[in-house]
Amino acid sequence: MNVLLWLLLALPLAGSVALLAFPRWIPYEKVPLVGLAVAGATLLISLLIAALFDYGDSGRVQFETNVSWISAIDVRWHLGLDGVSLPMVLLTTLLVFLCLLYTTRITPEVGRVRALVALALLLEVGMVGTFVSFDLIVFFLFFEVVLIPMWFVIAVWGDQHDPAGRRRAANTFILYTLLGSAVMLLGFLIVYANAGTFDIVELASGEGEGIARGAQILAAAAIAIGLAVKSPLWPLHSWLPDAHAKAPTIGSVLLAGVLLKMGTYGFVRVWLPVVPDGARAVAPFLAGLATVGILYGALACLAQRELKRLIAYSSVGHMGFVVLGIATLTPVGVNGALFAGVAHGLITGLLFFLAGAIKDRHGTGELASLGGGLYARMPRLGGLFVFACVASLGLPGLAGFWGEMLSLLGAYEPHASLSRGTYVVLMVLAGLGAVLTAAYFLLLVRRMCQGEDTLGARQDVTPIELGAWVPLVALTIVLGLYPKAILAVTDPAVQLLVGR
């Protein structure tokens, strides 16, 4: 069984290396199709893993590989899947496949598409590897693999009208994330110095045994800072709006859809079970910052004048709900956080696809320049844009509703060691943030879609675009109507991680 997990990492890595190392074998015009084929095969492997997964025992690590790698410090090549990681792996392989499908229609100038596709596949290796790692050092290495490829994606293929701006955004992204990762690694070393192992399963089963409370608090704070940068949590979010605004479409989709989830996934996989006493001490501060981020993100959206920056700030608010759910330290809140993460990946990925299509057709993302009349100008694209906005504001019956609702419910009844009064206040403030979220999305729809068309007709949705976007629409509806599809998978694993 573990061969499948190895293939899940080896196939996109081999595809990336082949595209870069053997250009004569793969002509330029075939590169997008080759990348799509590799991503499609990787997606099929992930679906096969999902089909063979034992859902009756989703709390157990399955498809496991556990061998010694660096014996001097007991680093083990420990990979596997459980109910927490499986949805994230499926989300990653799906979004990479849809992004590479999108590149078959919209590609950069001749000579650069090869590297872009290769970097997308390399990103897939790092993202999937993060979600299947069960050793702290292996987790850290995969966590870092994504940084250099994403820097190139933003710096080279970003906004072609602002070369200095896209390089500045890429530099800010990598500086923030590298510094955050350094602090996170310090937390991992504190854990190892006290527990004598990097193995996440062993550390989680020990529930912090052998790590003094003071060391746990220090490690929990360091790990939380590193993960908060990637999540991103206010006030460590400031790299995100520029990165999204300057990134190419597929860069924004993968950044919002998967890279942000690597941070929140780390909270659930590492932070909660490895240093539980430290997590209980740090959780109220984390919840407070998450709530500030929810309100800040909503208010910032109301002030934005550029479409992709607005969606980026909306991500700060949505990810605040995810972190708030985790900070309740309850199975309800953590399950809600995991569901919200998947829903955000689908919905915000769709929003960035649509924002990229609108910018491609008009040459700008400035709201004042775009004006209104999207319904009249491109009715199918306008309809999809409204659907994505309504889904993102959390309409019941769509996927965006359930995760945020469960996070708020977790805040209403937090872990017994936490102050319920404090969390109820945070829940009320976060609820106000949800109202503001509805306000700015409805204002955006009115501003862009309604009114008279002053720009003239543009090409409406193409078949390839429909192929890339319809799966996200369908999954948003399915998970909204049947949230158990995710919650039944995550809950047994969450119960083992935090239910104790």
Side-chain angles (χ1 to χ4, degrees):
M1 291 288 188
N2 58 12
V3 172
L4 292 176
L5 204 58
W6 281 80
L7 285 174
L8 201 62
L9 296 171
L11 191 58
L13 178 60
S16 179
V17 171
L19 285 170
L20 293 177
F22 305 104
R24 293 183 180 180
W25 295 3
I26 307 171
Y28 165 78
E29 63 274 9
K30 300 294 185 182
V31 166
L33 294 178
V34 171
L36 179 64
V38 173
T42 307
L43 175 60
L44 289 176
I45 293 171
S46 69
L47 293 173
L48 179 58
I49 289 173
L52 297 175
F53 189 82
D54 182 1
Y55 294 94
D57 193 14
S58 63
R60 175 176 61 87
V61 180
Q62 304 178 35
F63 302 93
E64 192 171 15
T65 295
N66 188 3
V67 296
S68 178
W69 184 29
I70 308 175
S71 57
I73 54 174
D74 195 28
V75 174
R76 304 188 66 80
W77 188 253
H78 192 177
L79 308 177
L81 279 167
D82 66 358
V84 170
S85 49
L86 179 61
M88 303 312 302
V89 169
L90 292 172
L91 175 67
T92 302
T93 56
L94 173 64
L95 285 178
V96 172
F97 173 74
L98 297 180
C99 283
L100 291 180
L101 174 61
Y102 195 73
T103 63
T104 64
R105 173 189 178 272
I106 301 175
T107 60
E109 58 267 36
V110 173
R112 290 186 171 181
V113 66
R114 182 184 305 277
L116 179 62
V117 172
L119 289 172
L121 293 174
L122 187 57
L123 279 168
E124 185 171 28
V125 176
M127 294 183 295
V128 171
T130 300
F131 297 132
V132 301
S133 297
F134 283 86
D135 183 278
L136 292 177
I137 297 300
V138 177
F139 174 91
F140 175 80
L141 293 175
F142 278 118
F143 200 82
E144 299 305 290
V145 162
V146 302
L147 299 186
I148 299 302
M150 184 53 74
W151 183 90
F152 277 106
V153 168
I154 298 171
V156 178
W157 288 273
D159 190 344
Q160 297 301 306
H161 301 293
D162 185 12
R166 70 175 188 255
R167 291 191 183 93
R168 182 172 59 250
N171 291 338
T172 304
F173 158 75
I174 201 165
L175 285 174
Y176 264 82
T177 49
L178 277 176
L179 288 173
S181 296
V183 177
M184 181 179 69
L185 180 60
L186 175 62
F188 289 171
L189 295 176
I190 293 172
V191 170
Y192 175 77
N194 286 266
T197 181
F198 287 114
D199 190 88
I200 295 174
V201 174
E202 184 179 341
L203 290 165
S205 63
E207 301 181 52
E209 183 180 355
I211 309 176
R213 187 173 186 276
Q216 283 204 39
I217 293 174
L218 185 59
I223 294 169
I225 290 171
L227 296 173
V229 172
K230 189 69 72 76
S231 294
L233 184 68
W234 182 92
L236 301 174
H237 71 285
S238 56
W239 61 269
L240 182 69
D242 281 342
H244 272 310
K246 300 304 178 184
T249 297
I250 69 167
S252 293
V253 171
L254 293 178
L255 185 59
V258 185
L259 263 70
L260 305 190
K261 313 309 176 300
M262 291 167 61
T264 53
Y265 172 84
F267 276 112
V268 178
R269 173 62 66 209
V270 177
W271 187 74
L272 287 175
V274 171
V275 284
D277 291 340
R280 282 189 284 272
V282 175
F285 301 98
L286 203 65
L289 294 176
T291 305
V292 172
I294 293 169
L295 294 169
Y296 171 83
L299 292 172
C301 284
L302 290 169
Q304 295 308 303
R305 300 179 179 180
E306 203 276 335
L307 181 56
K308 291 182 73 175
R309 288 182 69 88
L310 188 152
I311 299 170
Y313 274 109
S314 77
S315 289
V316 175
H318 288 308
M319 297 308 291
F321 279 102
V322 176
V323 176
L324 176 61
I326 294 168
T328 66
L329 308 183
T330 62
V332 170
V334 174
N335 274 305
L338 292 170
F339 190 98
V342 174
H344 178 267
L346 297 172
I347 297 168
T348 307
L350 177 61
L351 273 170
F352 275 116
F353 268 133
L354 295 168
I358 291 170
K359 187 172 181 178
D360 288 339
R361 285 160 169 78
H362 297 87
T364 180
E366 295 293 329
L367 297 177
S369 300
L370 292 171
L374 191 60
Y375 287 146
R377 189 159 60 250
M378 295 174 288
R380 294 182 181 85
L381 185 58
L384 286 167
F385 185 77
V386 172
F387 172 86
C389 289
V390 170
S392 191
L393 64 82
L395 184 72
L398 297 176
F401 171 74
W402 293 105
E404 295 183 3
M405 186 273 288
L406 289 173
S407 293
L408 293 175
L409 184 59
Y412 184 74
E413 289 285 351
H415 190 273
S417 65
L418 304 173
S419 169
R420 184 169 184 265
T422 299
Y423 273 76
V424 169
V425 171
L426 296 177
M427 179 199 72
V428 173
L429 293 174
L432 175 61
V435 174
L436 291 172
T437 299
Y440 69 71
F441 269 120
L442 291 175
L443 287 172
L444 178 64
V445 168
R446 180 183 177 185
R447 184 173 184 178
M448 286 195 57
C449 298
Q450 298 179 352
E452 295 183 2
D453 176 20
T454 60
L455 299 179
R458 298 287 194 280
Q459 183 184 34
D460 211 337
V461 179
T462 65
I464 289 178
E465 287 175 331
L466 277 179
W469 301 343
V470 166
L472 301 178
V473 173
L475 286 170
T476 299
I477 296 172
V478 169
L479 294 182
L481 297 176
Y482 190 66
K484 188 179 178 180
I486 297 293
L487 296 175
V489 180
T490 62
D491 186 58
V494 168
Q495 293 289 344
L496 285 176
L497 292 174
V498 299
R500 301 185 183 93

